[in-house]
PDB file of all heavy atoms in Angstrom:
ATOM      1  N   VAL A 179      80.518 102.694 118.221  1.00  0.00           N
ATOM      2  CA  VAL A 179      79.064 102.534 118.253  1.00  0.00           C
ATOM      3  C   VAL A 179      78.696 101.521 117.164  1.00  0.00           C
ATOM      4  O   VAL A 179      79.050 101.703 115.990  1.00  0.00           O
ATOM      5  CB  VAL A 179      78.342 103.876 118.040  1.00  0.00           C
ATOM      6  CG1 VAL A 179      76.853 103.657 117.829  1.00  0.00           C
ATOM      7  CG2 VAL A 179      78.586 104.790 119.233  1.00  0.00           C
ATOM      8  N   THR A 180      78.034 100.453 117.568  1.00  0.00           N
ATOM      9  CA  THR A 180      77.700  99.385 116.617  1.00  0.00           C
ATOM     10  C   THR A 180      76.509  99.812 115.740  1.00  0.00           C
ATOM     11  O   THR A 180      75.787 100.761 116.087  1.00  0.00           O
ATOM     12  CB  THR A 180      77.299  98.093 117.372  1.00  0.00           C
ATOM     13  OG1 THR A 180      76.032  98.347 118.011  1.00  0.00           O
ATOM     14  CG2 THR A 180      78.331  97.708 118.406  1.00  0.00           C
ATOM     15  N   PRO A 181      76.281  99.093 114.650  1.00  0.00           N
ATOM     16  CA  PRO A 181      75.136  99.435 113.781  1.00  0.00           C
ATOM     17  C   PRO A 181      73.790  99.339 114.502  1.00  0.00           C
ATOM     18  O   PRO A 181      72.797  99.870 114.031  1.00  0.00           O
ATOM     19  CB  PRO A 181      75.230  98.403 112.652  1.00  0.00           C
ATOM     20  CG  PRO A 181      76.669  98.028 112.613  1.00  0.00           C
ATOM     21  CD  PRO A 181      77.150  98.071 114.029  1.00  0.00           C
ATOM     22  N   GLN A 182      73.752  98.661 115.658  1.00  0.00           N
ATOM     23  CA  GLN A 182      72.503  98.567 116.436  1.00  0.00           C
ATOM     24  C   GLN A 182      72.399  99.714 117.446  1.00  0.00           C
ATOM     25  O   GLN A 182      71.422  99.799 118.194  1.00  0.00           O
ATOM     26  CB  GLN A 182      72.441  97.233 117.189  1.00  0.00           C
ATOM     27  CG  GLN A 182      72.298  95.998 116.295  1.00  0.00           C
ATOM     28  CD  GLN A 182      73.568  95.691 115.504  1.00  0.00           C
ATOM     29  OE1 GLN A 182      74.678  95.859 115.997  1.00  0.00           O
ATOM     30  NE2 GLN A 182      73.391  95.288 114.259  1.00  0.00           N
ATOM     31  N   GLY A 183      73.442 100.556 117.536  1.00  0.00           N
ATOM     32  CA  GLY A 183      73.383 101.689 118.460  1.00  0.00           C
ATOM     33  C   GLY A 183      73.864 101.355 119.869  1.00  0.00           C
ATOM     34  O   GLY A 183      73.544 102.061 120.822  1.00  0.00           O
ATOM     35  N   GLU A 184      74.663 100.273 120.003  1.00  0.00           N
ATOM     36  CA  GLU A 184      75.276  99.999 121.316  1.00  0.00           C
ATOM     37  C   GLU A 184      76.680 100.613 121.326  1.00  0.00           C
ATOM     38  O   GLU A 184      77.298 100.745 120.266  1.00  0.00           O
ATOM     39  CB  GLU A 184      75.435  98.495 121.530  1.00  0.00           C
ATOM     40  CG  GLU A 184      74.143  97.727 121.569  1.00  0.00           C
ATOM     41  CD  GLU A 184      74.351  96.268 121.194  1.00  0.00           C
ATOM     42  OE1 GLU A 184      75.142  96.000 120.267  1.00  0.00           O
ATOM     43  OE2 GLU A 184      73.728  95.422 121.823  1.00  0.00           O
ATOM     44  N   ILE A 185      77.173 100.881 122.548  1.00  0.00           N
ATOM     45  CA  ILE A 185      78.549 101.390 122.633  1.00  0.00           C
ATOM     46  C   ILE A 185      79.462 100.257 123.105  1.00  0.00           C
ATOM     47  O   ILE A 185      79.224  99.666 124.167  1.00  0.00           O
ATOM     48  CB  ILE A 185      78.653 102.568 123.628  1.00  0.00           C
ATOM     49  CG1 ILE A 185      77.754 103.728 123.172  1.00  0.00           C
ATOM     50  CG2 ILE A 185      80.103 103.027 123.757  1.00  0.00           C
ATOM     51  CD1 ILE A 185      77.699 104.900 124.133  1.00  0.00           C
ATOM     52  N   TRP A 186      80.489  99.936 122.289  1.00  0.00           N
ATOM     53  CA  TRP A 186      81.518  98.978 122.736  1.00  0.00           C
ATOM     54  C   TRP A 186      82.690  99.786 123.275  1.00  0.00           C
ATOM     55  O   TRP A 186      83.334 100.519 122.528  1.00  0.00           O
ATOM     56  CB  TRP A 186      81.978  98.086 121.579  1.00  0.00           C
ATOM     57  CG  TRP A 186      83.213  97.293 121.963  1.00  0.00           C
ATOM     58  CD1 TRP A 186      83.359  96.505 123.068  1.00  0.00           C
ATOM     59  CD2 TRP A 186      84.480  97.262 121.277  1.00  0.00           C
ATOM     60  NE1 TRP A 186      84.628  95.982 123.112  1.00  0.00           N
ATOM     61  CE2 TRP A 186      85.334  96.412 122.035  1.00  0.00           C
ATOM     62  CE3 TRP A 186      84.967  97.850 120.104  1.00  0.00           C
ATOM     63  CZ2 TRP A 186      86.654  96.160 121.650  1.00  0.00           C
ATOM     64  CZ3 TRP A 186      86.280  97.591 119.734  1.00  0.00           C
ATOM     65  CH2 TRP A 186      87.104  96.757 120.492  1.00  0.00           C
ATOM     66  N   ASN A 187      82.941  99.656 124.582  1.00  0.00           N
ATOM     67  CA  ASN A 187      84.073 100.377 125.160  1.00  0.00           C
ATOM     68  C   ASN A 187      85.295  99.470 125.183  1.00  0.00           C
ATOM     69  O   ASN A 187      85.440  98.640 126.067  1.00  0.00           O
ATOM     70  CB  ASN A 187      83.744 100.866 126.573  1.00  0.00           C
ATOM     71  CG  ASN A 187      84.886 101.703 127.137  1.00  0.00           C
ATOM     72  OD1 ASN A 187      86.035 101.581 126.701  1.00  0.00           O
ATOM     73  ND2 ASN A 187      84.579 102.574 128.076  1.00  0.00           N
ATOM     74  N   GLY A 188      86.130  99.631 124.188  1.00  0.00           N
ATOM     75  CA  GLY A 188      87.383  98.860 124.122  1.00  0.00           C
ATOM     76  C   GLY A 188      88.574  99.801 124.281  1.00  0.00           C
ATOM     77  O   GLY A 188      89.613  99.594 123.655  1.00  0.00           O
ATOM     78  N   LEU A 189      88.406 100.824 125.114  1.00  0.00           N
ATOM     79  CA  LEU A 189      89.463 101.841 125.267  1.00  0.00           C
ATOM     80  C   LEU A 189      90.539 101.338 126.229  1.00  0.00           C
ATOM     81  O   LEU A 189      90.741 101.901 127.305  1.00  0.00           O
ATOM     82  CB  LEU A 189      88.861 103.159 125.778  1.00  0.00           C
ATOM     83  CG  LEU A 189      87.978 103.893 124.776  1.00  0.00           C
ATOM     84  CD1 LEU A 189      87.307 105.094 125.414  1.00  0.00           C
ATOM     85  CD2 LEU A 189      88.813 104.336 123.559  1.00  0.00           C
ATOM     86  N   ARG A 190      91.223 100.256 125.825  1.00  0.00           N
ATOM     87  CA  ARG A 190      92.263  99.695 126.688  1.00  0.00           C
ATOM     88  C   ARG A 190      93.626 100.154 126.184  1.00  0.00           C
ATOM     89  O   ARG A 190      93.893 100.077 124.990  1.00  0.00           O
ATOM     90  CB  ARG A 190      92.213  98.172 126.654  1.00  0.00           C
ATOM     91  CG  ARG A 190      90.875  97.638 127.091  1.00  0.00           C
ATOM     92  CD  ARG A 190      90.881  96.121 127.102  1.00  0.00           C
ATOM     93  NE  ARG A 190      89.508  95.668 127.168  1.00  0.00           N
ATOM     94  CZ  ARG A 190      88.865  95.094 126.156  1.00  0.00           C
ATOM     95  NH1 ARG A 190      89.460  94.870 125.024  1.00  0.00           N
ATOM     96  NH2 ARG A 190      87.597  94.733 126.289  1.00  0.00           N
ATOM     97  N   GLY A 191      94.459 100.585 127.120  1.00  0.00           N
ATOM     98  CA  GLY A 191      95.809 101.023 126.740  1.00  0.00           C
ATOM     99  C   GLY A 191      96.806  99.897 126.907  1.00  0.00           C
ATOM    100  O   GLY A 191      97.864 100.085 127.501  1.00  0.00           O
ATOM    101  N   LEU A 192      96.463  98.705 126.400  1.00  0.00           N
ATOM    102  CA  LEU A 192      97.307  97.522 126.633  1.00  0.00           C
ATOM    103  C   LEU A 192      98.117  97.187 125.398  1.00  0.00           C
ATOM    104  O   LEU A 192      97.599  97.212 124.286  1.00  0.00           O
ATOM    105  CB  LEU A 192      96.425  96.316 126.985  1.00  0.00           C
ATOM    106  CG  LEU A 192      95.520  96.477 128.200  1.00  0.00           C
ATOM    107  CD1 LEU A 192      94.643  95.245 128.375  1.00  0.00           C
ATOM    108  CD2 LEU A 192      96.352  96.738 129.446  1.00  0.00           C
ATOM    109  N   ARG A 193      99.391  96.836 125.630  1.00  0.00           N
ATOM    110  CA  ARG A 193     100.229  96.381 124.526  1.00  0.00           C
ATOM    111  C   ARG A 193     100.149  94.863 124.371  1.00  0.00           C
ATOM    112  O   ARG A 193     100.643  94.306 123.398  1.00  0.00           O
ATOM    113  CB  ARG A 193     101.662  96.857 124.721  1.00  0.00           C
ATOM    114  CG  ARG A 193     101.768  98.356 124.419  1.00  0.00           C
ATOM    115  CD  ARG A 193     103.080  98.953 124.820  1.00  0.00           C
ATOM    116  NE  ARG A 193     103.135 100.356 124.371  1.00  0.00           N
ATOM    117  CZ  ARG A 193     102.548 101.364 125.010  1.00  0.00           C
ATOM    118  NH1 ARG A 193     101.862 101.163 126.116  1.00  0.00           N
ATOM    119  NH2 ARG A 193     102.620 102.588 124.532  1.00  0.00           N
ATOM    120  N   LYS A 194      99.568  94.205 125.345  1.00  0.00           N
ATOM    121  CA  LYS A 194      99.360  92.755 125.244  1.00  0.00           C
ATOM    122  C   LYS A 194      97.944  92.447 125.726  1.00  0.00           C
ATOM    123  O   LYS A 194      97.577  92.840 126.841  1.00  0.00           O
ATOM    124  CB  LYS A 194     100.373  92.008 126.104  1.00  0.00           C
ATOM    125  CG  LYS A 194     101.787  92.073 125.560  1.00  0.00           C
ATOM    126  CD  LYS A 194     102.709  91.159 126.320  1.00  0.00           C
ATOM    127  CE  LYS A 194     104.018  91.000 125.557  1.00  0.00           C
ATOM    128  NZ  LYS A 194     104.947  90.118 126.274  1.00  0.00           N
ATOM    129  N   ASP A 195      97.167  91.743 124.903  1.00  0.00           N
ATOM    130  CA  ASP A 195      95.799  91.396 125.284  1.00  0.00           C
ATOM    131  C   ASP A 195      95.298  90.320 124.328  1.00  0.00           C
ATOM    132  O   ASP A 195      94.754  90.631 123.261  1.00  0.00           O
ATOM    133  CB  ASP A 195      94.909  92.656 125.200  1.00  0.00           C
ATOM    134  CG  ASP A 195      93.447  92.321 125.488  1.00  0.00           C
ATOM    135  OD1 ASP A 195      93.187  91.252 126.078  1.00  0.00           O
ATOM    136  OD2 ASP A 195      92.576  93.123 125.123  1.00  0.00           O
ATOM    137  N   ASN A 196      95.512  89.062 124.704  1.00  0.00           N
ATOM    138  CA  ASN A 196      95.101  87.965 123.823  1.00  0.00           C
ATOM    139  C   ASN A 196      93.859  87.299 124.394  1.00  0.00           C
ATOM    140  O   ASN A 196      93.906  86.172 124.876  1.00  0.00           O
ATOM    141  CB  ASN A 196      96.240  86.944 123.684  1.00  0.00           C
ATOM    142  CG  ASN A 196      97.375  87.510 122.856  1.00  0.00           C
ATOM    143  OD1 ASN A 196      97.184  88.461 122.095  1.00  0.00           O
ATOM    144  ND2 ASN A 196      98.548  86.946 122.992  1.00  0.00           N
ATOM    145  N   THR A 197      92.752  88.011 124.350  1.00  0.00           N
ATOM    146  CA  THR A 197      91.530  87.469 124.944  1.00  0.00           C
ATOM    147  C   THR A 197      90.425  87.341 123.898  1.00  0.00           C
ATOM    148  O   THR A 197      89.331  87.863 124.063  1.00  0.00           O
ATOM    149  CB  THR A 197      91.054  88.354 126.117  1.00  0.00           C
ATOM    150  OG1 THR A 197      90.953  89.705 125.636  1.00  0.00           O
ATOM    151  CG2 THR A 197      91.998  88.306 127.295  1.00  0.00           C
ATOM    152  N   GLY A 198      90.767  86.662 122.812  1.00  0.00           N
ATOM    153  CA  GLY A 198      89.722  86.404 121.816  1.00  0.00           C
ATOM    154  C   GLY A 198      89.949  87.171 120.529  1.00  0.00           C
ATOM    155  O   GLY A 198      91.045  87.682 120.283  1.00  0.00           O
ATOM    156  N   TYR A 199      88.930  87.237 119.698  1.00  0.00           N
ATOM    157  CA  TYR A 199      89.052  87.903 118.397  1.00  0.00           C
ATOM    158  C   TYR A 199      89.427  89.367 118.587  1.00  0.00           C
ATOM    159  O   TYR A 199      88.959  90.017 119.528  1.00  0.00           O
ATOM    160  CB  TYR A 199      87.723  87.829 117.627  1.00  0.00           C
ATOM    161  CG  TYR A 199      87.239  86.424 117.366  1.00  0.00           C
ATOM    162  CD1 TYR A 199      85.899  86.111 117.499  1.00  0.00           C
ATOM    163  CD2 TYR A 199      88.128  85.433 116.980  1.00  0.00           C
ATOM    164  CE1 TYR A 199      85.447  84.821 117.257  1.00  0.00           C
ATOM    165  CE2 TYR A 199      87.681  84.138 116.737  1.00  0.00           C
ATOM    166  CZ  TYR A 199      86.352  83.843 116.878  1.00  0.00           C
ATOM    167  OH  TYR A 199      85.906  82.581 116.646  1.00  0.00           O
ATOM    168  N   ASP A 200      90.240  89.888 117.681  1.00  0.00           N
ATOM    169  CA  ASP A 200      90.680  91.271 117.802  1.00  0.00           C
ATOM    170  C   ASP A 200      89.651  92.187 117.129  1.00  0.00           C
ATOM    171  O   ASP A 200      89.724  92.458 115.934  1.00  0.00           O
ATOM    172  CB  ASP A 200      92.058  91.433 117.164  1.00  0.00           C
ATOM    173  CG  ASP A 200      92.692  92.731 117.620  1.00  0.00           C
ATOM    174  OD1 ASP A 200      91.937  93.677 117.929  1.00  0.00           O
ATOM    175  OD2 ASP A 200      93.919  92.810 117.676  1.00  0.00           O
ATOM    176  N   LEU A 201      88.670  92.616 117.913  1.00  0.00           N
ATOM    177  CA  LEU A 201      87.596  93.447 117.341  1.00  0.00           C
ATOM    178  C   LEU A 201      88.143  94.788 116.868  1.00  0.00           C
ATOM    179  O   LEU A 201      87.699  95.346 115.872  1.00  0.00           O
ATOM    180  CB  LEU A 201      86.508  93.675 118.389  1.00  0.00           C
ATOM    181  CG  LEU A 201      85.793  92.411 118.867  1.00  0.00           C
ATOM    182  CD1 LEU A 201      84.751  92.749 119.920  1.00  0.00           C
ATOM    183  CD2 LEU A 201      85.124  91.701 117.683  1.00  0.00           C
ATOM    184  N   ARG A 202      89.145  95.285 117.638  1.00  0.00           N
ATOM    185  CA  ARG A 202      89.726  96.588 117.260  1.00  0.00           C
ATOM    186  C   ARG A 202      90.189  96.554 115.806  1.00  0.00           C
ATOM    187  O   ARG A 202      89.886  97.446 115.016  1.00  0.00           O
ATOM    188  CB  ARG A 202      90.900  96.867 118.208  1.00  0.00           C
ATOM    189  CG  ARG A 202      91.685  98.104 117.883  1.00  0.00           C
ATOM    190  CD  ARG A 202      93.015  98.091 118.610  1.00  0.00           C
ATOM    191  NE  ARG A 202      93.771  96.881 118.276  1.00  0.00           N
ATOM    192  CZ  ARG A 202      94.871  96.487 118.896  1.00  0.00           C
ATOM    193  NH1 ARG A 202      95.353  97.185 119.901  1.00  0.00           N
ATOM    194  NH2 ARG A 202      95.512  95.398 118.519  1.00  0.00           N
ATOM    195  N   ASP A 203      90.934  95.494 115.453  1.00  0.00           N
ATOM    196  CA  ASP A 203      91.479  95.432 114.102  1.00  0.00           C
ATOM    197  C   ASP A 203      90.393  95.304 113.036  1.00  0.00           C
ATOM    198  O   ASP A 203      90.625  95.622 111.874  1.00  0.00           O
ATOM    199  CB  ASP A 203      92.486  94.283 113.985  1.00  0.00           C
ATOM    200  CG  ASP A 203      93.892  94.770 114.314  1.00  0.00           C
ATOM    201  OD1 ASP A 203      94.052  95.988 114.529  1.00  0.00           O
ATOM    202  OD2 ASP A 203      94.815  93.947 114.359  1.00  0.00           O
ATOM    203  N   LEU A 204      89.234  94.815 113.448  1.00  0.00           N
ATOM    204  CA  LEU A 204      88.131  94.691 112.497  1.00  0.00           C
ATOM    205  C   LEU A 204      87.603  96.078 112.085  1.00  0.00           C
ATOM    206  O   LEU A 204      87.289  96.325 110.925  1.00  0.00           O
ATOM    207  CB  LEU A 204      87.013  93.897 113.179  1.00  0.00           C
ATOM    208  CG  LEU A 204      86.077  93.058 112.348  1.00  0.00           C
ATOM    209  CD1 LEU A 204      86.834  92.169 111.386  1.00  0.00           C
ATOM    210  CD2 LEU A 204      85.214  92.207 113.271  1.00  0.00           C
ATOM    211  N   PHE A 205      87.527  96.979 113.067  1.00  0.00           N
ATOM    212  CA  PHE A 205      86.971  98.308 112.774  1.00  0.00           C
ATOM    213  C   PHE A 205      87.996  99.229 112.099  1.00  0.00           C
ATOM    214  O   PHE A 205      87.621 100.135 111.365  1.00  0.00           O
ATOM    215  CB  PHE A 205      86.422  98.955 114.052  1.00  0.00           C
ATOM    216  CG  PHE A 205      85.204  98.247 114.589  1.00  0.00           C
ATOM    217  CD1 PHE A 205      85.285  97.441 115.703  1.00  0.00           C
ATOM    218  CD2 PHE A 205      83.990  98.354 113.933  1.00  0.00           C
ATOM    219  CE1 PHE A 205      84.163  96.768 116.189  1.00  0.00           C
ATOM    220  CE2 PHE A 205      82.855  97.685 114.394  1.00  0.00           C
ATOM    221  CZ  PHE A 205      82.947  96.896 115.526  1.00  0.00           C
TER     222      PHE A 205
END
Side-chain angles (χ1 to χ4, degrees):
V179 170
T180 69
Q182 292 71 37
E184 297 156 320
I185 299 176
W186 169 53
N187 184 337
L189 290 174
R190 302 182 195 109
L192 302 176
R193 286 170 174 80
K194 290 189 167 180
D195 176 19
N196 289 340
T197 53
Y199 301 139
D200 196 332
L201 297 179
R202 175 196 57 190
D203 269 355
L204 209 49
F205 292 105

